[in-house]
Each structure stands twice: as C-alpha cells, then as structure tokens.
Amino acid sequence: AVDTGERKEGGGGISCVLQDGEVFEKAGVNVSVVSGLLSEEAARQMRSRGKSLKAKDGKLPFCAMGVSSVIHPKNPHVPTMHFNYRYFEIEEADGTKQWWFGGGTDLTPTYLNEEDAVHFHKTLKEACDKHDLKLYPKYKKWCDDYFYIKHRGERRGIGGIFFDDVDSPSKEEVFQFVKSCAKAVVPCYIPIVKRHCCDSFTPEEKLWQQLRRGRYVEFNLVYDRGTKFGLLTPGSRIESILMSLPLTARWEYMHTPPESSKEAEILEVLRNPKDWVH
C-alpha cells in the first residue's frame, strides 16, 4: 500500500507498506517533510534534552524532514531492521535558526548469528570511519544506551549506530556523514536477508520470534522518542507513526527460556552488549 498524507499544519509525507509478503511479514518506509508550530509537549521534550528554545508569543516554527523504515521478516532467522535519518530546524523568537541531524540504523535478531552481527556492525563502522574514526564507537554506545527497555533490563536488539542533535562541524559535513550512513543500509542488511530467508524453522522458533516482537512493541510505545514526538504533533498520521509495529506479537506470562538454549544466548547479548568489530 502506498499512502500520501497532507497536514493542514504544513507539509506531509508518503508511507509505503508491504504486508504478508513472501519474505517480509511487514515492511514499511515513511518519507515526511513537515512544518508548522511545535506543540508545547514537543518543545518540552526537546528542552529536556538541553535545547534552549526561545519561543515568540509561545510559538516555535519548525520544519522537519526524514526517512524511516522498519522491516519485520517472516523467518525467525532473518533479523528485524530499522533505520531512520532526519533533519530538524527551529526558528527562535529573535529569528535565529537552530538545526540538527539525527538518526541511526539498528538490528533486532530473534536468534544470534555472530557472522551477521559482525557484518552489520562492520558495514556501519566503515560508513562512519570515512568521516571520523571517533564516530562509530561513540554512536554504537549511544545506540546500545538508547534502545534499552528499562523495565526488562535488556536492549531491543544488538544495536548499530544512533545519534541525535548533531550540529557540528558544519551543516554540509554532517549531511555528507548522514548520507554515508543511509547508503550503508542496503549493504549492511540485505546480504543477511538473502543468507537466511530460506532457512527452515520450527513452530517453537516462530513462537520465540513473536515474544521478541512483543519486546519491540514495548520499546516503541514506551520509550521511542520518534513515536512520542509523532503522537504529540498535531495533525500527524497515526498509521504512519505506528507503522513500525509488527503485524503480530505475543506476551506470555513469566516466559523464561531454558539455560544454555539458543533463546538464552540472545538474551545474554541483549543484557550485556558486545563489541562486534574488534
């Protein structure tokens, strides 16, 4: 389904969603370019991260643009992947403009495959290293910290890179870096899909995937900043914001996998993130 949305407040976006495919249970891409006045809650959220936003008569004009995608495969041996890259600009009371870029790419496997994890992280590291060798370790740690499901004591997945509020050294240099990250999405993920999309799997493995998807939902609805911002923005398209949620998920009471099982192995990595590239 391809769906175009207009906002009466300004701008709009396109959502493309594939459902019940051969390889992907649900996959979507959102592209949005929106403008308008920042809602009080959204401004509060930004101030809480240290932004000093001086409103004019209580109004903060903003424009934001971004591309985001979430892919939930059918096969439990193919990981879920998410990426999002965005640009934000706010005009303050005195006419000065604050701008920043944010985004990231991360992987959420149902079962751990070390070779896949290394490939994914190495590809993202190469994209970062083209610009500055300090970026990958910094943004890898930021990703592990950000995608943390506090009430479960585990990460949403095996990470990748994540950053926000990046506004230096210059707009052009940050834009080039973000473009490198976006170009790394296909090579970091598609080889993994091709390697596993025809793997055989058992009903038990499918069940474990459903339970992990439940965790994905918990993170997105409770902690994800993009989801929160979207839900707080007047005139936003709820379907596009919740596109990241899987088609199906499960919550079983007190489910604990047996020790030294493949299920316990992934949990260990989600509780204690690993360095995949050294």
Side-chain angles (χ1 to χ4, degrees):
V2 177
D3 192 9
T4 310
E6 300 277 323
R7 287 171 81 246
K8 61 179 187 296
E9 291 81 1
I14 299 173
S15 295
C16 306
V17 180
L18 168 75
Q19 229 161 247
D20 274 326
E22 285 289 304
V23 176
F24 301 133
E25 208 161 272
K26 187 171 170 205
V29 181
N30 275 340
V31 179
S32 66
V33 179
V34 298
S35 57
L37 296 171
L38 213 53
S39 72
E40 201 36 62
E41 293 110 311
R44 204 175 300 132
Q45 197 189 320
M46 286 174 180
R47 287 192 181 104
S48 73
R49 336 201 283 265
K51 297 229 164 277
S52 60
L53 303 172
K54 294 181 267 311
K56 185 180 185 178
D57 308 325
K59 294 188 169 79
L60 278 166
F62 81 94
C63 75
M65 53 202 71
V67 56
S68 65
S69 176
V70 178
I71 297 174
H72 293 292
K74 272 202 161 139
N75 193 312
H77 299 296
V78 183
T80 283
M81 191 272 297
H82 156 261
F83 81 86
N84 164 256
Y85 290 101
R86 58 192 179 275
Y87 171 77
F88 216 96
E89 195 174 276
I90 288 183
E91 192 178 329
E92 295 191 272
D94 58 3
T96 56
K97 286 187 176 170
Q98 280 205 46
W99 60 267
W100 64 90
F101 286 89
T105 305
D106 64 283
L107 197 70
T108 307
T110 300
Y111 289 98
L112 184 64
N113 179 303
E114 298 231 353
E115 200 182 321
D116 294 344
V118 169
H119 166 80
F120 185 80
H121 277 271
K122 272 196 165 157
T123 310
L124 294 177
K125 181 179 184 294
E126 280 162 21
C128 292
D129 286 356
K130 278 184 205 150
H131 300 270
D132 187 334
L133 296 178
K134 291 194 222 57
L135 297 178
Y136 170 76
K138 181 181 172 185
Y139 294 160
K140 190 264 185 202
K141 182 183 184 313
W142 197 337
C143 190
D144 288 333
D145 293 345
Y146 177 73
F147 289 105
Y148 182 59
I149 309 171
K150 204 171 168 185
H151 60 269
R152 298 285 190 183
E154 59 192 50
R155 273 92 200 145
R156 186 177 80 174
I158 59 158
I161 55 172
F162 179 85
F163 55 88
D164 208 350
D165 302 326
V166 178
D167 55 8
S168 64
S170 71
K171 195 183 281 191
E172 190 47 44
E173 284 176 85
V174 184
F175 185 41
Q176 291 305 324
F177 162 65
V178 170
K179 283 204 282 194
S180 295
C181 294
K183 282 184 185 151
V185 168
V186 170
C188 76
Y189 182 57
I190 298 304
I192 298 173
V193 177
K194 288 183 169 165
R195 196 179 298 149
H196 299 292
C197 64
C198 298
D199 288 5
S200 60
F201 59 88
T202 64
E204 290 74 28
E205 288 169 332
K206 188 68 188 170
L207 171 67
W208 177 243
Q209 182 194 46
Q210 297 293 289
L211 292 165
R212 298 314 310 159
R213 294 257 170 91
R215 296 286 207 271
Y216 203 93
V217 172
E218 287 176 35
F219 178 84
N220 281 30
L221 293 184
V222 178
Y223 302 108
D224 187 72
R225 228 157 47 202
T227 305
K228 278 185 178 172
F229 177 79
L231 296 174
L232 294 174
T233 303
S236 56
R237 294 188 69 244
I238 301 303
E239 285 296 320
S240 298
I241 296 159
L242 299 182
M243 181 197 81
S244 63
L245 301 182
L247 201 55
T248 56
R250 256 180 102 100
W251 286 268
E252 284 190 9
Y253 187 68
M254 303 290 280
H255 184 280
T256 311
E259 269 181 55
S260 69
S261 62
K262 294 289 282 177
E263 290 77 12
E265 179 188 30
I266 185 81
L267 280 182
E268 171 55 32
V269 172
L270 300 177
R271 285 170 188 155
N272 303 293
K274 279 180 72 164
D275 176 356
W276 298 102
V277 295
H278 297 105

